[in-house]
Amino acid sequence: MVQDGQDAYRKFLRLAQAADQWRNRAWCGPDTTARRLARFGPAAAGAVADLRRFWLRTPHAYERAAYLEALAAIDPGGLDHAHTESLWDCEEGARLLGIAHAPDHPETLERITALLNDPMATPDVRAGAEARLAATTTPCLP
């Protein structure tokens, strides 16, 4: 019973922290808050709007993967656009999430093929692209 109360309090603090960070435009640290919120899963649904805003507007590209992971843990619906957009992200973590979760559409598969063949992509991105394309049943356009 005490543990439930502590978890509820921690969740409340994290939700309030995310809202405060957005309101104050605190650009350093919301990725840590996002990771902590993700642990609550759907119970942290109150933070979804703030996490989406941070994903869209953060000046720190390296934080976008944390926001996307948190959104997927809390409310995975409606992330097709974010996952697709992440295929063009400059950060490896976000690209890998896009490769793994973007829907099988011609545009996304074409981009994943481009990442596979991109000599500037990291080895992990190329390996992820190769695995995704190997597992895809939708034909990919060149």
Side-chain angles (χ1 to χ4, degrees):
M1 193 72 116
V2 171
Q3 183 65 37
D4 289 343
Q6 289 174 343
D7 286 345
Y9 182 68
R10 284 189 193 106
K11 180 181 74 170
F12 169 78
L13 289 178
R14 297 297 172 232
L15 291 170
Q17 185 177 24
D20 286 345
Q21 287 170 321
W22 175 255
R23 201 170 23 262
N24 296 321
R25 301 301 192 259
W27 297 117
C28 295
D31 59 326
T32 302
T33 303
R35 286 187 197 91
R36 290 174 177 160
L37 283 165
R39 294 181 202 151
F40 293 104
V48 166
D50 290 321
L51 291 171
R52 286 186 189 275
R53 284 191 285 264
F54 275 118
W55 180 81
L56 284 168
R57 307 222 189 282
T58 184
H60 301 140
Y62 66 88
E63 292 185 339
R64 281 193 295 269
Y67 303 136
L68 196 53
E69 288 172 339
L71 286 166
I74 296 166
D75 182 18
L79 290 179
D80 285 354
H81 171 75
H83 284 128
T84 300
E85 184 73 21
S86 294
L87 294 170
W88 281 267
D89 202 292
C90 63
E91 291 292 326
E92 177 184 48
R95 279 187 175 185
L96 289 169
L97 288 169
I99 289 167
H101 302 290
D104 286 348
H105 293 246
E107 178 188 27
T108 59
L109 296 175
E110 185 176 337
R111 178 63 181 154
I112 293 170
T113 300
L115 290 170
L116 171 65
N117 298 317
D118 183 354
M120 297 299 288
T122 66
D124 287 343
V125 167
R126 288 195 307 271
E130 183 176 27
R132 169 68 186 271
L133 292 169
T136 299
T137 58
T138 305
C140 182
L141 303 173

